[in-house]
Amino acid sequence: MNIDYTCIADGSVLSRLESSYGMLYFTNAHSLVVEIRVGDSCHTGGLELSGIAERTVQLIKDMTPPLNNIRLCIKDDAPESEGEQYRQLQTLIQGLTRTPLLSHLELVHPCKQYIIESCSPVCNLTTLTCVWDKSCKNLAHIMHANANSLLELYISYASFDNLERLVVDEHGYPVVYPHLATLFFRDIGTEANDYSPVLESVAPFPQLRVFQSQIMYPFGDDTVFRGNASSLEDIYLMGDYKIIKMLYGCGVFAQGRLKSLRKLMVADSVVEIDNVDAVIGTYMTVIDNVLPSLKELRALDADISNALIV
């Protein structure tokens, strides 16, 4: 089910929903996509904008009882945090996201800060897809509030600022995601990350099964890999030699440790290292230690691949 925000703002969606109320039900509609952008001046037929939003949300909920997946698509020209359109938009988002049935939430980049604030407090999410940018502090609140229920977390990084807030709250206490099974990091055009936080005594993902990082591994220690040696099944790791050596030194790839690991993909560019043989030696040790349990191994680097063939 797709709804354009401009159609809500001008009252056309409300009019159509009211004319169909009692006759039209989307009994199989589990997902709702709301595209938010600013249209021309709205003609509301005498109703206040906030009243339109409240009534529209209620009708959507009544007509889509199994709704549990909401995707908010925020366009570049979404209203700023002032004016009647902004207040209407807040009413709309708060009404849609504050439902006990909501389990999936996707915040599409670019996402203005007040959008994230409008989604809080959301609780009991099992899947969250979002962008880590200048609004990361508010985003972290949503993550922390749902830490006990999240099963899947997909983060696209537009910035690496305050990266530690993923696993540490504003008071410096560790945040644990006890049931998180999938953690996915993706890059959407960030600058090189010169800051790699080292977080002692934090084991945030004890049941992690899939870790895929399409950015350079962002932490300065083994934060992601703590406490989940028996559960990890799938690792896609992008990291230079220093990162791999650091993780190896932390015992992440110790022999016999990752007994459930079935798939390992390593992406690197070791050709930039002077002593390529020493680098390959470290990689080969890592691979030898995890090889007994693997069903799939991919080394996305020519030097490593050639060494494996030999």
Side-chain angles (χ1 to χ4, degrees):
M1 184 177 184
N2 291 266
I3 296 180
D4 189 320
Y5 165 69
T6 54
C7 296
I8 294 176
D10 65 15
S12 59
V13 166
L14 179 59
S15 176
R16 293 173 187 174
L17 290 177
E18 286 183 328
S19 65
S20 303
Y21 189 70
M23 298 180 292
L24 186 61
Y25 289 94
F26 300 94
T27 56
N28 295 316
H30 293 273
S31 299
L32 173 67
V33 178
V34 180
E35 184 175 284
I36 297 173
R37 60 183 179 180
V38 178
D40 297 327
S41 58
C42 301
H43 302 284
T44 64
L47 285 174
E48 292 185 0
L49 288 173
S50 58
I52 290 178
E54 290 177 359
R55 179 63 177 155
T56 300
V57 168
Q58 188 56 54
L59 287 177
I60 290 173
K61 288 182 177 181
D62 289 346
M63 299 170 76
T64 56
L67 184 66
N68 65 0
N69 186 337
I70 295 180
R71 183 171 187 249
L72 298 181
C73 302
I74 317 298
K75 298 301 182 181
D76 277 320
D77 55 353
E80 297 298 336
S81 55
E82 58 183 16
E84 186 63 22
Q85 281 188 319
Y86 156 71
R87 288 187 287 274
Q88 181 203 36
L89 185 53
Q90 275 197 316
T91 300
L92 174 67
I93 295 173
Q94 289 170 356
L96 289 173
T97 55
R98 292 176 185 179
T99 167
L101 296 177
L102 179 63
S103 63
H104 295 62
L105 179 62
E106 181 173 354
L107 301 172
V108 180
H109 186 69
C111 196
K112 289 183 168 60
Q113 181 170 325
Y114 73 85
I115 299 293
I116 297 175
E117 291 175 348
S118 298
C119 291
S120 184
V122 176
C123 59
N124 298 318
L125 291 177
T126 59
T127 301
L128 176 61
T129 303
C130 57
V131 176
W132 191 273
D133 56 16
K134 294 180 179 179
S135 302
C136 61
K137 291 183 179 180
N138 292 308
L139 185 61
H141 284 302
I142 295 179
M143 293 179 180
H144 299 168
N146 292 274
N148 286 328
S149 59
L150 277 173
L151 303 177
E152 298 176 314
L153 181 56
Y154 302 89
I155 306 176
S156 297
Y157 282 93
S159 167
F160 291 108
D161 292 344
N162 299 298
L163 179 64
E164 67 277 5
R165 286 296 305 278
L166 173 62
V167 294
V168 178
D169 68 17
E170 64 269 27
H171 304 295
Y173 294 109
V175 176
V176 178
Y177 301 78
H179 306 294
L180 193 74
T182 299
L183 180 61
F184 190 100
F185 292 159
R186 189 168 71 93
D187 179 19
I188 54 172
T190 56
E191 297 181 356
N193 179 26
D194 295 326
Y195 172 59
S196 300
V198 176
L199 305 170
E200 298 180 359
S201 304
V202 178
F205 313 113
Q207 295 298 321
L208 195 64
R209 294 175 56 192
V210 178
F211 174 55
Q212 295 198 9
S213 180
Q214 295 182 359
I215 61 173
M216 295 291 282
Y217 180 77
F219 294 97
D221 55 20
D222 60 338
T223 294
V224 171
F225 298 94
R226 292 176 188 158
N228 47 39
S230 61
S231 62
L232 270 171
E233 299 175 0
D234 184 340
I235 297 175
Y236 180 107
L237 185 62
M238 181 175 288
D240 57 22
Y241 170 58
K242 292 180 180 179
I243 290 174
I244 301 300
K245 186 177 181 180
M246 178 272 294
L247 292 175
Y248 178 68
C250 291
V252 172
F253 298 109
Q255 190 170 21
R257 181 177 182 271
L258 298 172
K259 295 180 180 180
S260 299
L261 192 64
R262 298 293 180 265
K263 183 177 180 180
L264 175 63
M265 298 178 65
V266 180
D268 191 14
S269 54
V270 300
V271 292
E272 298 178 359
I273 306 296
D274 292 334
N275 192 348
V276 175
D277 290 339
V279 174
I280 291 177
T282 299
Y283 277 83
M284 294 304 294
T285 300
V286 168
I287 291 169
D288 284 342
N289 286 350
V290 300
L291 197 57
S293 64
L294 287 182
K295 292 185 176 180
E296 182 177 350
L297 171 63
R298 294 187 184 183
L300 306 182
D301 179 272
D303 294 303
I304 301 174
S305 299
N306 289 338
L308 288 172
I309 293 173
V310 175

